[in-house]
Structures are given as C-alpha cells and as structure tokens.
Amino acid sequence: EKSMMSAIASPSPAVQLPVAFRAAYFYESPGLARIPVAAKFRLDTVALKNKSGQLAGNVDIMGVAYGEDGSVAARFSETLQLMIEKGKEAEFRKQSYYYRNYFKLRPGKYRLKLAVADEKGRVGSAEQSIVVPPLVQTDLSGSTLIVAQTLYRLPSLIQDLQAKLLEENDPLIFRGFRVIPSVENILPANKPVGLIFKAYNLSGNVEQRKLVAQVQLTDEKGASQTFPPIPLDEHLYSTGGTEGVIGINVPLGNMAPGKYRLVVTTTEGVSNRSFSLQTELELQ
C-alpha cells in the first residue's frame, strides 16, 4: 500500500508494471455518475512463487479520484489473486490482465490515478483526467462513447438476474451481454467498430422518437468522411422511460490505417434535439 500511495502521489508514472486504463461516465441521476474504469497491465514481470505445485501471486490495485481542489472524491482498492499451472507460465507471461472497477462521482472535473503493485514491490501507475458535465433535465444528452473490445454472453442464471443488475445500474450489461470496453482504442482496419453509449431525456413517446446516428471519422490531417445515417430505435435497449443503452456496429469500409477522431451525432426526429459524442481511435 505504501508503494502504491507513493506512486499515486508522484507526478510521474511508475513503469515497473506498465498499466493503462480508460474511464467513462454514465449518469445514475442528475447529480451522480457511475465512472466505469477499464484497465490492463502486463503480466511479463509480475512476481509469482511456487504454491502447491502451481505458480501464484497477489497483485494489489488502487484507484483514486481527485477533485479540482486536490481532495479525494472517491477511491477503490482490491487484491487480485493470480494462479496458473507451471507448464503454462510462458503463455501466461505474454498476456495482459484486464481489470474492471468503478467510481461514483458528482458532475465536475477530476484527476483519476490508478496504481498496481506485486508482492516484490514492483509498481505501475497511470493518470487520466475526466470531466463529468451536468445532466440538464430538458436536454437530450449522452454518456461517454465506448469503443467495445468484445462482448460476451452472460450465463443464463446471470441473465435471469437482469432486473437486479439493472437496479445496480451497470450500463455495460444489456440484452444478456457484458461489454468489454477497449482500453487503448486500437482496432483492426476494415472491420466494423462496436460502439456503446447511453441516451438520456428521450421523448416519452417511443413511437415518435425516430433516433438516427450520424458517424464521422476525421484523420490527423483534418480530412473527414461521413457515413450513411444509422436508424437507432431498434438498437435501443430501454433502461427507463426516457433513457436507454444504444449499441451499434459501424462498418468503416476502406479506411486507411492511422489515428482518427470519431464523432457520433444522435438526433431525435420528433423533437429535432441532438447530442454529439466523440473519442479517439487508431486503426491498424
């Protein structure tokens, strides 16, 4: 804990255990947001020891959210227990560990820091800033735009508990699937991009919404390409009378490898209200 606190307090990242993370925001109410954190760290140097014929080790992970005044607004910590068969160590060392947790924060500006440490005191840390805008009740609004790394179907027992999961307001579980957000937003070129976001303050009359998404990609030189509009009503999974999660696959056609800014503008036909979300991504 002392090593992690030191890494979190340092202005420079610790790199003995390289770690990266990406945070997003989804509103639970106008005054409170859930901040999912998707992180991954490499396993090539994590300390392991022999235990009952296997290799085992603990990795501690800590996240802290600092407000604009430098005070701690939220935090989490957890110990991860790793265990593998000896014969699989080489394969294990080539992988990264994917980790999920979340903060709960009020609208505002925050500095998020994440640190990991193994049993030999090797430490890694990373930092990210996030702005959670106020949710105006009269405006059509959206969450962070999530680039999905993958989706996996939940076991049937978990699906039967869908109502309970929705009460816990996990925005990345819907229609029997869990969404695994991309940490680095690096994707293969010429393949569809999976996008997830949540819409708030929709018109109450479902039949009149006529939601449409317009997707635009802009490269580093400023050249833009706009894709055909995507009707969204059939892609909306309602989580309340005037809100819902939207999941779409966007075919990118023959976009060249490179770095892009992706913008999704969602318009509601009945009211002509709209909101735009954006994120950076890299095609390889």
Side-chain angles (χ1 to χ4, degrees), residues 36-64:
V37 175
K40 69 177 184 179
F41 59 89
R42 298 210 316 250
L43 295 169
D44 50 355
T45 61
V46 170
L48 299 174
K49 56 188 177 184
N50 290 320
K51 185 177 181 179
S52 302
Q54 293 184 309
L55 295 174
N58 290 339
V59 173
D60 293 310
I61 188 161
M62 177 184 294
V64 180

Side-chain angles (χ1 to χ4, degrees), residues 49 127 144 164 185 193 203 256:
K49 56 188 177 184
E127 180 176 332
T144 301
K164 180 177 184 299
N185 282 9
V193 174
S203 294

